[in-house]
Amino acid sequence: MTSEDTIAGFRMLLAEGLTQPDLVEPVVEAAMKKDDPIETWLEDACRDGRMKIPDIELATEQFYGLLKGIFFWPLVAGYATAPEGEARKLVIESNVQMFLGFYRDDK
């Protein structure tokens, strides 16, 4: 999510999508069809009774949104660098705790 290649590739995709959406659309559609490991993990956690999530797809996007808001979009926009070291660890741990605090099934 923070690699230079990923950021550069996304910037290119974004720029081309603005001028030639017909070229970018198949790439985006193919990416959206791939099995998402987070979505699979959440489905398994719900099936096992560890989490209660009414909309797995929405929850998956929420989880990625928590991370991308700090690690991805600022890099794409070019106005910040991604947190590193202890700051990175704090962001990840707090995002996971926030997510689990909402969706964990503590019956």
Side-chain angles (χ1 to χ4, degrees):
M1 188 179 301
T2 61
S3 78
E4 289 182 26
D5 288 344
T6 298
I7 299 303
F10 188 81
R11 285 178 178 159
M12 181 185 66
L13 190 66
L14 186 60
E16 288 302 315
L18 294 173
T19 60
Q20 301 180 58
D22 54 316
L23 289 177
V24 175
E25 190 175 311
V27 175
V28 173
E29 284 181 13
M32 297 301 287
K33 288 181 183 178
K34 289 185 178 180
D35 288 337
D36 187 292
I38 297 295
E39 190 170 315
T40 301
W41 177 76
L42 294 175
E43 289 169 348
D44 291 345
C46 287
R47 209 172 5 263
D48 292 345
R50 292 175 288 154
M51 298 181 86
K52 187 173 185 176
I53 304 174
D55 186 335
I56 299 284
E57 192 173 312
L58 173 62
T60 301
E61 289 301 316
Q62 289 170 327
F63 184 77
Y64 283 126
L66 288 170
L67 295 172
K68 286 181 176 181
I70 295 172
F71 289 112
F72 182 73
W73 292 114
L75 296 175
V76 170
Y79 67 81
T81 58
E84 295 183 9
E86 285 300 311
R88 180 185 195 95
K89 183 178 176 182
L90 176 64
V91 168
I92 292 169
E93 288 178 358
S94 63
N95 284 351
V96 169
Q97 289 304 316
M98 185 186 314
F99 186 83
L100 291 176
F102 188 76
Y103 285 117
R104 188 179 349 215
D105 193 7
D106 292 338
K107 294 180 184 177

